[in-house]
Amino acid sequence: MKKIESFLWILLLLLILARTTVEVPFIMILISGMILSGFYFYFSLLLLNNIDFKNIFQKQAYREIKTSRIIGSILTGINYATLSIGVTFKALAWPGSLFFIMFSVFTLLIIIIIASYKAKYNQSISFYHELKKRTLLLLVIGSIFAILSSLPIDIQKTIFPSTKNSSLKL
């Protein structure tokens, strides 16, 4: 699961970087961003709790996981999905990207604070340390895109070319 997550982020970021120098069809960025978002939305519980895909329907895989941790994993996954949508929208110069990114960055900060507190006073320290590392990495990615959003419009257009001229080129 972690390899899939890494591959999808690397693919999305490479497509965004490639778009600054060569013409990359926007549909490729859109599809990779939406696959990443769907991955987080549907598989965050498995990803964050280190549950193998083959054990998804087995009761013993969830036996030691508290209800609050399950809910937290799902909400964290939804936040990760929102960040990937925001990054995708920003790369495509679509409206609403700044809202998605800023909302995600703010909630990622809250997740890091909660994970730090839980890691200090809880037995499942490895879960919260892994959560902090992953969330911190995504916070850096979100912050970079938030900073890029605050640049002057002419500089943003060179970094994120508009998709209006490229319509649906495949």
Side-chain angles (χ1 to χ4, degrees), residues 79-144:
N79 188 36
Y80 291 172
T82 305
L83 178 67
S84 67
I85 290 170
V87 168
T88 303
F89 276 31
K90 184 63 195 167
L92 298 174
W94 287 0
S97 63
L98 185 60
F99 171 76
F100 282 119
I101 292 171
M102 294 307 291
F103 175 80
S104 295
V105 165
F106 178 71
T107 51
L108 286 172
L109 286 171
I110 293 172
I111 291 169
I112 287 176
I113 291 168
I114 292 171
S116 298
Y117 176 79
K118 291 275 193 175
K120 190 174 184 179
Y121 298 109
N122 203 324
Q123 279 97 12
S124 55
I125 293 174
S126 64
F127 168 77
Y128 291 108
H129 282 298
E130 286 296 316
L131 182 67
K132 279 193 318 187
K133 286 192 311 190
R134 176 178 277 112
T135 304
L136 189 60
L137 178 64
L138 294 179
L139 179 66
V140 168
I141 292 171
S143 298
I144 289 170

Side-chain angles (χ1 to χ4, degrees), residues 9-46:
W9 267 113
I10 290 169
L11 176 66
L12 179 62
L13 294 175
L14 284 177
L15 287 171
I16 292 170
L17 284 173
R19 190 156 195 248
T20 61
T21 56
V22 297
E23 189 173 332
V24 174
F26 84 95
I27 197 77
M28 290 175 65
I29 296 173
L30 180 64
I31 289 173
S32 64
M34 293 303 116
I35 289 172
L36 180 62
S37 176
F39 175 78
Y40 280 132
F41 189 79
Y42 292 108
F43 298 115
S44 62
L45 176 64
L46 304 175

